[in-house]
Amino acid sequence: QVQLRESGGGSVQAGGSLRLSCAASGYPTRSYCMAWFRQAPGKEREWVATFDGYGNPAYADAGKGRFFISKDNAKWTLYLDMKSLKPEDTAMYYCATPSYRRDCPSGVADYDFWGQGSQVTVSS
């Protein structure tokens, strides 16, 4: 049973930083794609960053230069370090994986396992 659990969200002022964590159980994060998505109220879920099974990170334009994705394979944990946060970064952040795939697909529907989400609120 694959389980993903996010933590680390919270409320910060614009310009601040946060680190999100996603602890995986029943799933070897080392070998497979792991991703961060977010969903703001009234908007569609969008991808934020991915870390494929080959060790390559990728970022959506909204977070480039400010967000950094990493994995601790020994702890089966995925991280998202966010700095210079903006009010438009306010959203529920989810980690996800597309079920034993090394590559990272682009579509939300391609991801099979999701965490419960962690709220990030950035005030101006």
Side-chain angles (χ1 to χ4, degrees), residues 71-110:
K71 285 195 295 183
D72 184 331
N73 291 321
K75 296 181 178 178
W76 288 15
T77 300
L78 180 73
Y79 302 99
L80 184 67
D81 288 288
M82 303 182 291
K83 66 178 184 179
S84 302
L85 283 162
K86 306 174 182 179
E88 51 263 45
D89 294 320
T90 295
M92 185 73 80
Y93 284 70
Y94 300 89
C95 68
T97 184
S99 187
Y100 304 100
R101 286 180 62 169
R102 289 182 179 268
D103 63 303
C104 289
S106 58
V108 173
D110 294 317

